[in-house]
Amino acid sequence: MESRNLVLELEKEIGDVSQVAWVGSFDGSLAMSWEDFAMKFIGETYTPDVARDELPYDLVVVMEDESWFERVPWSVGWVHRRLPFKHWNAKSFDYVTIFGSPYVACQYESLHDLNEGSEVG
């Protein structure tokens, strides 16, 4: 398992670190600037395959646009999340489970797939 430098890996993932608002816990009760984080933790390494065991589960890098980077248990990389927003032309939907929808054939379907797919059977 290859060990990676935490700060360098985040810099590569983020791109423009000047857009980082803060780094800390998801609830914001622990936080510091990117500059302070990078200086303090430049020597920290972690193994992406077992990062869930090495890094705190609530570590986030929050951007100026209020999006954020976080790690998720099923991924070896960082995930960039954005706040959901309601589309100006949003439609109501009829199905919320795969068992109730006539449109799905397998699990892990999106809400769109459950409500707008091709009928099965």
Side-chain angles (χ1 to χ4, degrees):
M1 290 186 214
E2 176 188 340
S3 195
R4 295 185 185 165
N5 181 286
L6 176 61
V7 172
L8 297 179
E9 191 71 14
L10 280 167
E11 285 178 345
K12 186 171 89 175
E13 192 72 36
I14 294 165
D16 184 3
V17 295
S18 72
Q19 295 302 305
V20 174
W22 57 274
V23 181
S25 59
F26 190 84
D27 68 2
S29 63
L30 298 171
M32 63 176 62
S33 70
W34 172 259
E35 293 77 16
D36 290 346
F37 177 84
M39 284 191 338
K40 188 169 189 165
F41 299 112
I42 189 63
E44 292 290 332
T45 61
Y46 74 104
T47 308
D49 294 340
V50 292
R52 69 180 170 272
D53 298 329
E54 297 179 9
L55 297 175
Y57 70 87
D58 61 344
L59 177 66
V60 293
V61 178
V62 179
M63 307 302 289
E64 291 290 346
D65 67 0
E66 297 181 346
S67 66
W68 69 94
F69 287 86
E70 68 179 344
R71 296 194 52 87
V72 291
W74 59 86
S75 173
V76 295
W78 292 86
V79 178
H80 190 192
R81 305 261 191 207
R82 290 176 171 77
L83 291 174
F85 66 93
K86 182 180 172 189
H87 190 275
W88 67 272
N89 194 22
K91 300 181 285 187
S92 182
F93 50 92
D94 297 317
Y95 307 105
V96 74
T97 68
I98 62 172
F99 303 111
S101 174
Y103 300 116
V104 298
C106 64
Q107 59 186 0
Y108 306 118
E109 302 289 346
S110 72
L111 194 57
H112 282 280
D113 293 337
L114 291 175
N115 288 277
E116 299 171 353
S118 299
E119 285 198 37
V120 175

